[in-house]
Amino acid sequence: MRTSLLAPLVFLVANGAAAQVSGAVAAGAGTVRYGGGTSASLATLSPSLIWSTPGTAGWATGTAALLPSSAWAFQGNGDLTLTSGVIAGRWRLGGEVTGGVTTVTGGDRTGALGALGEWSLRGAGWGVAAGAGTTAGWIGGTAGAAALRLRMRAWWLRDDFHMTASVEPTRFFGAWFTDFTAGAMLHRGSLDVAATIMARASQGWGSAAAGSVVADLAVSPRVGIEVAGGSALADVYQGFPRTGFASAGVRVFFPARSSSGPISEARAALANRDGDDFVTVTFHIEADSVAVAGDWNGWTPEPLERVAPDLWRLRKHLAPGIYRFGLVLGPGQWTVPRGYPTVPDDWGGMAAVLVVQ
């Protein structure tokens, strides 16, 4: 039962497209971490839900674990991230709000809630951000405690490889500690691997390091086998101890996951410029209206031209390069057009890829 319950707040108007939604249910066994203790589970069931639009991303998970003592451990967590449209140049205003609760039959109940706002500078597949906020935690019936939290982070995405890094100074109970985190995610065919390393530096709270690896092998578009192992830093907000962990299970996805090859192998992604340096792309879609949002317009939907029933045209002055985009159908249904490779967007969802030559 590993969780990061450090969190952030923002409230901004995001793009109005309806969310991409996906869910999964995992069943297996592994290490359970809760307030004041750690145990191996006999069985674990964990449903999850992810949704996103250009500008909004969220996830929610729940876990029920049967412990060897016949006790049950329950945990629920959620995260919501919002990002504004372009404010000046490539700058955006955004942040997160995150929370979670944990309870063990006959044991402690804990919770955490946090909020953080930030400025970010984003480009095609990269970004840097800095922000500040607060995080609070509760253990049992004791009074809660809050902390001042700062965060600087950066990310970089190319094809099937994604890197992230963050530095988070926090002042809690009169002492500072700083968490350093670096992560890398790789997609190759039916295999997804994510690795994370963490370090905490503090004179008052002690220094420590941890690391983890998660591997997901797709047996089919709907079923994956997931194994994970490593260690986790102590959670000062809920009293979770620093611990090692291991888990294994089967995850079922709803809807089935789409498969796509590398950008270089997808001919559908290629578009050539005409003599006036304009790119023309057509889409066959049954809809009353269609708009496009992508890297080139700050993910702000702009209407496409209807040239025939169910035929829509994008004509745009685009420099050579790789662009991510998606379509907005009718009043706000966000979709990725068929026949194009897909890559993660900046908010936890998927976007199509257009390569302009």
Side-chain angles (χ1 to χ4, degrees), residues 64-340:
L66 176 62
L67 306 183
S69 59
S70 297
W72 284 89
F74 300 95
Q75 187 174 62
N77 298 280
D79 179 283
L80 177 64
T81 302
L82 297 136
T83 308
S84 73
V86 175
I87 295 176
R90 292 179 173 177
W91 288 95
R92 300 170 187 265
L93 182 61
E96 298 175 86
V97 59
T98 306
V101 294
T102 300
T103 183
V104 179
T105 53
D108 285 339
R109 290 182 174 86
T110 66
L113 180 66
L116 182 147
E118 66 177 8
W119 276 98
S120 62
L121 177 65
R122 297 167 183 256
W126 63 270
V128 292
T134 184
T135 302
W138 300 266
I139 301 175
T142 62
L148 169 66
R149 177 170 165 242
L150 310 176
R151 183 176 70 182
M152 289 73 70
R153 64 189 183 105
W155 61 92
W156 180 80
L157 169 66
R158 281 296 180 270
D159 297 351
D160 294 331
F161 187 62
H162 189 190
M163 294 183 63
T164 60
S166 66
V167 179
E168 301 184 16
T170 302
R171 185 169 179 81
F172 192 53
F173 281 126
W176 285 93
F177 65 86
T178 301
D179 288 345
F180 302 87
T181 305
M185 292 170 280
L186 176 66
H187 172 77
R188 279 291 182 269
S190 59
L191 181 65
D192 290 285
V193 179
T196 304
I197 55 174
M198 299 156 284
R200 176 169 296 166
S202 174
Q203 293 183 343
W205 291 97
S207 299
S212 63
V213 176
V214 179
D216 175 12
L217 178 64
V219 179
S220 72
R222 193 174 292 279
V223 179
I225 298 175
E226 184 178 286
V227 294
S231 56
L233 296 176
D235 182 332
V236 298
Y237 304 104
Q238 297 189 91
F240 293 173
R242 181 178 183 275
T243 186
F245 67 88
S247 65
V250 175
R251 188 175 297 272
V252 181
F253 295 88
F254 304 96
R257 294 183 290 183
S258 62
S259 58
S260 60
I263 293 175
S264 60
E265 297 177 7
R267 292 187 177 181
L270 299 178
N272 293 311
R273 297 183 298 161
D274 60 23
D276 296 324
D277 288 341
F278 278 85
V279 172
T280 302
V281 182
T282 57
F283 304 96
H284 292 268
I285 296 176
E286 295 182 9
D288 294 330
S289 64
V290 181
V292 64
D295 286 319
W296 62 79
N297 64 3
W299 295 96
T300 301
E302 55 183 270
L304 294 181
E305 177 189 4
R306 190 172 197 166
V307 294
D310 305 330
L311 185 64
W312 303 84
R313 180 168 64 189
L314 166 68
R315 180 169 168 77
K316 195 80 174 177
H317 187 292
L318 295 176
I322 299 174
Y323 300 90
R324 296 170 300 165
F325 74 97
L327 302 179
V328 182
L329 312 184
Q333 178 187 350
W334 172 257
T335 187
V336 175
R338 294 181 179 179
Y340 287 82

Side-chain angles (χ1 to χ4, degrees), residues 2-8 19-24 46-53 56-63 75-82 96-101 151 347-349:
R2 301 175 295 117
T3 335
S4 173
L5 296 176
L6 306 173
Q20 299 180 66
V21 179
S22 62
S46 181
S48 60
L49 182 69
I50 300 173
W51 67 95
S52 68
T53 72
T56 309
W59 58 260
T61 65
T63 301
Q75 187 174 62
N77 298 280
D79 179 283
L80 177 64
T81 302
L82 297 136
E96 298 175 86
V97 59
T98 306
V101 294
R151 183 176 70 182
W347 302 279

